[in-house]
Each structure stands twice: as structure tokens, then as C-alpha cells.
């Protein structure tokens, strides 16, 4: 990605995170480093995926924030609701993609097929690292959309990991609603659409890829290396579905391994600051229950 685009774009993201209090100071530093890693790759799509995820996540976090704040409690004693995200949360969402981008960049350079690696395109059925990068952002976008919008559902969440899908309070780890699940697929779709628009797909009928003849420029679904309309539609659907399923898997893991603490007096879930686990003091154990 060209520096004259990456540098101001990164600066704009950092300023937005600071001015909107979206990230803690540590989160801003890690986010800036993450953006730099995404920007060094010649595929601009990877940086765009980060931007779309960050902006989309920020928007859905702010949707009816005052309402969401009343649905849960904070472990600090105040109202609930998502506060500024920490460096741990930034890494949880982007560390895997960052590693895959560095690996793909190294692979891209190692091919030594052209002095200008940015002229390359992505053949159908190759470079699984690209699939991993896009899938990562589809899953985390789906998880963010489902958790931030699902809590606003008019119906009570159902615990995904219970045998009878029992009702649980809003904000419970492992709790899902139809509204939240649909929002998750919407979040994954934003990533899928961004990738369809910006990834350098090798077109059907193309004869070169960074100066080297393609083995077969026929459509990928016909055994070739080219991306036509049908291949891109399949890609969009597959990424969207994978992101939505990834969000459901995250909910299941949360239900199994992250017990939610509920205030017995109000019936509300108690959230840890910055996504941290809530510690229960022995003095207050009688007033709290655990779901999980």
C-alpha cells in the first residue's frame, strides 16, 4: 500500500479513536502498530478490512449506548456498557490477521516474480493465507455486531450451551438471540463485500500474473485460476457464512469457558472492565450467581 495513503489514513484512525474515546492509550498504540503492519502489504484490501472492521465496530458500539448501559452492570460499580477497548482486545481481534499478513508479505516477496509486487493478482484456489486474513475479520466483525446489537433484542437471550436453551440475562456469555445472530451475519457481510471490491482477483481470461503466465485462466469453478462473477458470489457467501458461524462458535466457547456473573438483586450481568474476568469477593458471594 502506498505510504501517501497509509500514513494519513492511519493518523486519521488514531485521531478518531482518541477523540471518540474508542480505545485506551495502550489500545491506540497497539492499533497504530497493527495498522502499520497491514499497510506494508501491497494488497490495499488488508488495510481496508481493518478500517471497515474498526469503523463498523465503533458505530455499532455507539448504537443506543445509553440503553445498553442500563442492561448490565460494571464491576466498578457503575452502569454497564462497552467502554474504551484495551490493547488486549485490539490484539484479540487483529493479532492473527497481522501474523498472516506478515507471512503472506514474506511469501509475496520470496516469489521474486516482479520488481513491483503490487502488480500481482490472486488466483482462484491459491494463497490460503489470504483466506485466513479475510476469515479472521469476518469472524471478529460478526462477533462485534452480534454482541453490540444482539443485546438490544426484544426477546431474552437463550444459552447456546444449555441442553434446553434456557433464557439468560442480556450480556450473558453464550447467550444468543435471532436478532443478534442476524446482526453477526450482517457484520461478516460488510467484510465479505469489502474483500470482493478490493482484493486483486485474477480475472477470467487474464494471461499474466506478475509477469508469469497463468496455468489456466478459465473460471475457478471450472478448474481454472480466474475469478468471474460466479466465483466472487460464492466467495461472498462463503465469507459471510464463515463469519456468522465463527461468531456462534465464539458464543459457544464463551458459554463453556467464561462463566457470567449475575447480580442476584437486579438480575443483571456484571461486566469486567476492558473485557476482563469479574473477580468475586467472598463477602459478596451470597449476592451473586454464576451462569455457565
Amino acid at each position: 500500500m502506498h505510504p501517501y495513503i497509509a500514513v494519513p489514513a492511519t493518523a486519521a484512525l488514531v485521531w478518531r479513536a482518541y477523540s471518540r474515546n474508542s480505545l485506551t492509550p495502550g489500545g491506540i498504540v497497539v492499533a497504530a502498530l497493527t495498522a502499520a503492519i497491514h499497510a506494508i502489504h501491497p494488497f490495499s484490501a488488508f488495510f481496508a478490512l481493518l478500517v471497515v472492521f474498526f469503523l463498523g465496530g465503533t458505530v455499532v458500539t455507539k448504537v443506543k449506548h445509553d440503553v445498553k448501559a442500563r442492561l448490565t452492570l460494571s464491576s466498578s460499580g457503575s452502569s454497564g456498557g462497552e467502554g474504551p477497548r484495551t490493547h488486549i482486545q485490539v490484539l484479540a481481534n487483529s493479532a492473527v490477521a497481522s501474523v498472516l499478513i506478515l507471512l503472506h508479505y514474506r511469501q509475496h516477496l520470496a516469489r521474486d516474480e516482479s520488481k513491483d509486487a503490487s502488480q500481482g493478482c490472486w488466483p482462484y484456489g491459491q494463497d490460503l493465507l489470504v483466506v485466513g486474513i479475510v476469515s479472521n475479520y469476518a469472524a471478529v466483525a460478526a462477533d462485534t455486531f452480534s454482541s453490540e446489537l444482539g443485546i438490544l433484542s426484544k426477546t431474552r437471550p437463550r444459552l447456546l450451551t444449555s441442553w434446553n436453551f434456557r433464557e439468560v440475562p442480556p450480556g450473558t456469555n453464550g447467550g444468543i438471540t435471532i436478532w443478534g445472530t442476524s446482526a453477526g451475519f450482517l457484520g461478516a457481510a460488510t467484510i465479505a463485500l469489502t474483500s470482493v471490491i478490493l482484493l486483486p482477483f485474477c480475472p477470467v481470461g487474464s494471461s499474466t500474473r506478475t509477469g508469469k503466465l497463468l496455468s489456466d485462466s478459465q473460471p475457478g469453478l471450472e478448474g481454472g485460476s480466474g475469478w468471474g462473477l460466479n466465483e466472487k458470489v460464492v466467495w461472498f457467501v462463503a465469507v459471510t457464512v464463515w463469519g456468522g458461524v465463527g461468531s456462534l462458535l465464539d458464543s459457544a466457547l464463551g458459554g463453556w469457558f467464561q462463566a457470567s456473573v449475575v447480580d442476584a438483586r437486579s438480575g443483571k450481568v456484571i461486566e469486567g472492565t476492558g473485557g476482563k474476568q469479574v473477580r468475586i469477593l467472598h463477602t459478596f458471594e451470597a449476592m451473586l450467581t454464576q451462569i455457565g
Side-chain angles (χ1 to χ4, degrees):
M1 187 173 182
H2 293 291
Y4 60 80
I5 297 177
V7 172
T10 301
L13 286 177
V14 169
W15 171 252
R16 192 181 195 283
Y18 172 77
S19 61
R20 301 293 182 88
N21 196 32
S22 301
L23 300 172
T24 63
I28 290 176
V29 171
V30 173
L33 292 174
T34 299
I37 291 174
H38 285 58
I40 65 173
H41 198 287
F43 287 6
S44 60
F46 298 152
F47 187 85
L49 292 176
L50 175 66
V51 173
V52 169
F53 166 67
F54 172 72
L55 295 180
T58 301
V59 169
V60 296
T61 298
K62 299 299 182 182
V63 171
K64 295 187 177 181
H65 186 269
D66 55 333
V67 176
K68 290 187 284 190
R70 295 194 296 268
L71 295 175
T72 60
L73 298 174
S74 171
S75 59
S76 63
S78 59
S79 298
E82 183 70 51
R85 287 177 165 81
T86 67
H87 65 287
I88 298 297
Q89 291 170 301
V90 174
L91 288 172
N93 289 322
S94 61
V96 171
S98 296
V99 172
L100 295 180
I101 286 171
L102 291 175
L103 290 174
H104 190 263
Y105 181 54
R106 181 184 178 186
Q107 181 187 83
H108 205 77
L109 296 178
R111 287 170 180 154
D112 196 25
E113 297 172 330
S114 173
K115 292 182 179 179
D116 185 4
S118 65
Q119 295 302 311
C121 62
W122 180 33
Y124 185 90
Q126 298 183 32
D127 287 345
L128 288 179
L129 291 174
V130 176
V131 178
I133 295 164
V134 177
S135 298
N136 172 87
Y137 279 114
V140 296
D143 181 60
T144 301
F145 273 60
S146 63
S147 60
E148 292 295 340
L149 298 179
I151 197 172
L152 297 172
S153 174
K154 299 297 184 182
T155 60
R156 297 273 289 185
R158 299 276 181 172
L159 189 61
L160 182 61
T161 54
S162 66
W163 68 271
N164 60 348
F165 290 94
R166 72 176 187 274
E167 290 188 354
V168 290
T172 300
N173 290 318
I176 62 170
T177 62
I178 294 177
W179 172 256
T181 301
S182 300
F185 280 95
L186 174 63
T190 64
I191 297 298
L193 180 60
T194 302
S195 68
V196 167
I197 295 172
L198 296 177
L199 276 175
F201 298 103
C202 290
V204 173
S206 60
S207 59
T208 62
R209 175 175 178 265
T210 61
K212 185 177 180 180
L213 290 176
L214 284 170
S215 59
D216 189 346
S217 59
Q218 295 301 310
L221 294 177
E222 298 178 13
S225 302
W227 289 82
L229 178 60
N230 291 338
E231 286 76 17
K232 291 180 180 179
V233 169
V234 171
W235 169 258
F236 174 84
V237 173
V239 170
T240 301
V241 171
W242 170 251
V245 172
S247 175
L248 291 174
L249 177 60
D250 181 79
S251 295
L253 293 174
W256 281 321
F257 300 112
Q258 292 179 295
S260 296
V261 179
V262 179
D263 177 30
R265 293 172 300 182
S266 64
K268 297 180 179 180
V269 171
I270 302 176
E271 296 182 319
T273 304
K276 294 181 179 178
Q277 183 178 5
V278 178
R279 297 184 180 276
I280 305 175
L281 296 178
H282 179 73
T283 307
F284 298 101
E285 283 183 349
M287 295 186 295
L288 303 174
T289 69
Q290 286 188 328
I291 297 179

